[in-house]
Amino acid sequence: MIDVVQFGDWKSSLREMIAAGVRARMCITSPPYFGLRDYGTARWIGGDPHCEHTHSGQVSDSKAAGAIRSGVRPGADTTRCRKCGAIRQDQQVGLEATPEEYVETLVEGFRLVRDLLTDDGTLWVNIGDSYASTGGTPTPQRGEEFANRARGLQAICKSKRVPRGQGRWGGGNVRGSGDIKPKDLIGIPWMLAFALRADGWWWRQDVVWHKVNSMPESVRDRCTRSHEYVLLFSKRAQYYFDNEAISEPLARPNEGRLKNPPRFGGNAKWTGAQQQSRLHSGNVYTGTDTGTRNRRSVWPISTEPLHDEHYAAFPRKIAELPILAGSQPGDVILDPFMGSGTVAEVALLLGRHFVGCELNEENRRIQNKRIASARRIRDAIEFGVSPKVDDSQLGLFDAAPVIAANANPDPEWEGATG
């Protein structure tokens, strides 16, 4: 079950891996964000096979050629077709009725991830946030890249709709009428982090992914969002973490060799009882042998366009840094939301193995394409030859930095076309 992606419900797949004795050194993943998009994985069981199934929670968009959008009204019955009574089954994550249900789903699944990890294993989760929206039918986003977006239609409140004027904050008829007010930032990353910590994980860090080329937003009462989080958890208090593998260059590597090098804490002198000694308050900075420093917790990384059907792929650098820090060559890397196969590709190129889960069968083709390309480059590197990459493969990754990665533990993949 190594170097394969299992298709189906992620929890069922994880249980099968555990039963088969699979052990992963670390997990890096990006679960579907809350209320962002519907990947179309629902199945209808029973009822009339010729029926165009709808459920009472769906919102029809008259501007989209009669299409049924993927939103869900609060308190609606989403499990049964309101026309023929067919049962709707959907195992995808992200379309839960409330933030609490979404977080609970992730906690249950990551509990299985913990059982699959080695004792010194780590979990890295890339997660974004959402804003509570008001009631009413929103304007749909246009363009094929937004075809499955659930923007504004997904319930993100803790309670059902209430009559206008009777909400906790007086508004009523809003998504967010519990203790989450309309326009509130929900705080999904913190909700998840607190829940995982309560479930037994050690929450070690909140890395900020600074999106250097972030998309603009049409807002005037707050700043444009240009970051997401990469949350680091460990299975135990002591865990594997190779900080040198992801160290970054010093901004001024020659400072340690200056005639009057800087001091930690500055050049101020002690006063009071030590005034007679006139000792400096900081130790002399001597630099490092490698010219690098411990990587900071803000990662400026550009997003990468993926010229294929998957629109939520995270940059390979987001996978590369955790893999380098949390594993060694030959280790198994887990991604329970494999998506377009970014983690599998990066794991192979860095000399690791992968194992993953994926619900959407439509991602199988692009996964196979990226995995095959990564294997071809890895094999070429092992035989000491320059890999032959045609134009279609250059759309997936730039091979040259991967070759240089043999000698450089922290390859820069900036500029790759994803």
Side-chain angles (χ1 to χ4, degrees):
M1 300 182 71
I2 302 301
D3 291 338
V4 297
V5 178
Q6 291 191 216
F7 282 82
D9 174 58
W10 68 303
K11 296 178 184 178
S12 299
S13 297
L14 289 172
R15 292 188 183 97
E16 293 178 9
M17 294 178 190
I18 295 171
V22 175
R23 299 282 277 177
R25 190 68 178 277
M26 58 92 67
C27 172
I28 167 67
T29 191
S30 182
Y33 292 178
F34 177 68
L36 180 60
R37 56 169 57 84
D38 184 345
Y39 290 97
T41 58
R43 299 291 183 268
W44 293 95
I45 309 299
D48 182 359
H50 303 292
C51 175
E52 295 182 0
H53 301 297
T54 62
H55 58 74
S56 62
Q58 285 181 321
V59 181
S60 179
D61 176 18
S62 59
K63 297 181 180 180
I68 296 296
R69 301 290 290 178
S70 57
V72 180
R73 289 193 177 94
D77 180 11
T78 62
T79 63
R80 187 177 299 274
C81 175
R82 59 185 174 184
K83 294 181 179 179
C84 70
I87 302 300
R88 180 176 184 268
Q89 293 183 349
D90 195 355
Q91 298 171 317
Q92 69 176 305
V93 175
L95 294 184
E96 290 78 5
T98 66
E100 288 76 16
E101 292 181 20
Y102 171 72
V103 170
E104 182 180 359
T105 298
L106 291 180
V107 170
E108 291 175 355
F110 286 136
R111 195 176 297 150
L112 297 171
V113 170
R114 185 171 56 203
D115 292 339
L116 197 146
L117 290 177
T118 58
D119 291 340
D120 61 352
T122 52
L123 166 66
W124 304 68
V125 184
N126 168 224
I127 192 76
D129 213 337
S130 305
Y131 280 91
S133 65
T134 58
T137 302
T139 302
Q141 291 168 309
R142 300 299 183 185
E144 64 176 9
E145 68 269 29
F146 299 114
N148 291 324
R149 285 286 178 98
R151 175 193 180 195
L153 297 174
Q154 174 66 28
I156 55 176
C157 58
K158 291 184 178 180
S159 59
K160 298 180 181 180
R161 283 177 179 261
V162 295
R164 184 172 295 281
Q166 297 182 19
R168 175 179 174 183
W169 301 98
N173 198 29
V174 296
R175 296 174 177 87
S177 55
D179 64 354
I180 300 177
K181 307 176 293 301
K183 297 182 69 173
D184 264 347
L185 183 65
I186 301 176
I188 293 292
W190 294 282
M191 292 175 63
L192 177 61
F194 294 150
L196 289 176
R197 185 174 65 183
D199 198 54
W201 291 91
W202 272 260
W203 182 17
R204 295 296 296 130
Q205 192 157 47
D206 59 331
V207 173
V208 176
W209 167 21
H210 169 211
K211 297 182 178 180
V212 179
N213 58 341
S214 62
M215 294 291 291
E217 292 182 323
S218 58
V219 294
R220 295 293 182 267
D221 59 353
R222 61 172 174 81
C223 301
T224 296
R225 290 181 295 177
S226 62
H227 75 281
E228 293 181 11
Y229 290 94
V230 179
L231 305 177
L232 168 60
F233 302 90
S234 63
K235 185 174 180 178
R236 294 186 176 181
Q238 303 298 323
Y239 55 95
Y240 181 80
F241 188 91
D242 186 355
N243 68 303
E244 293 184 358
I246 61 170
S247 61
E248 57 188 14
L250 286 169
R252 294 181 293 274
N254 294 325
E255 281 193 349
R257 294 189 289 272
L258 295 177
K259 181 178 180 181
N260 296 307
R263 294 174 178 271
F264 292 105
N267 288 314
K269 306 290 181 55
W270 287 107
T271 58
Q274 290 99 0
Q275 189 167 8
Q276 69 279 6
S277 64
R278 303 293 293 171
L279 295 176
H280 285 281
S281 59
N283 295 323
V284 174
Y285 172 74
T286 59
T288 63
D289 295 334
T290 60
T292 60
R293 67 179 187 178
N294 200 33
R295 183 168 291 273
R296 279 19 182 189
S297 59
V298 176
W299 297 353
I301 299 173
S302 299
T303 60
E304 292 180 356
L306 184 64
H307 306 296
D308 224 300
E309 292 84 352
H310 195 283
Y311 303 103
F314 58 20
R316 288 160 300 185
K317 193 74 174 180
I318 292 294
E320 173 201 346
L321 293 175
I323 290 175
L324 287 172
S327 69
Q328 297 171 296
D331 285 339
V332 177
I333 312 301
L334 167 67
D335 183 358
F337 300 100
M338 186 60 76
S340 63
T342 301
V343 169
E345 175 192 353
V346 176
L348 289 172
L349 293 175
L350 294 177
R352 276 72 167 173
H353 297 282
F354 72 88
V355 65
C357 314
E358 176 57 36
L359 180 63
N360 193 348
E361 284 281 351
E362 294 181 359
N363 287 326
R364 187 189 294 271
R365 182 190 60 82
I366 184 174
Q367 286 178 9
N368 291 341
K369 185 178 180 180
R370 299 182 77 179
I371 291 171
S373 300
R375 282 175 171 155
R376 184 162 55 251
I377 291 180
R378 183 196 59 187
D379 293 344
I381 293 172
E382 290 180 356
F383 286 100
V385 298
S386 177
K388 302 298 183 182
V389 183
D390 58 35
D391 291 341
S392 65
Q393 303 307 322
L394 288 176
L396 292 175
F397 49 77
D398 181 4
V402 180
I403 299 174
N406 274 350
N408 183 0
D410 184 23
E412 289 294 338
W413 288 0
E414 304 300 339
T417 57

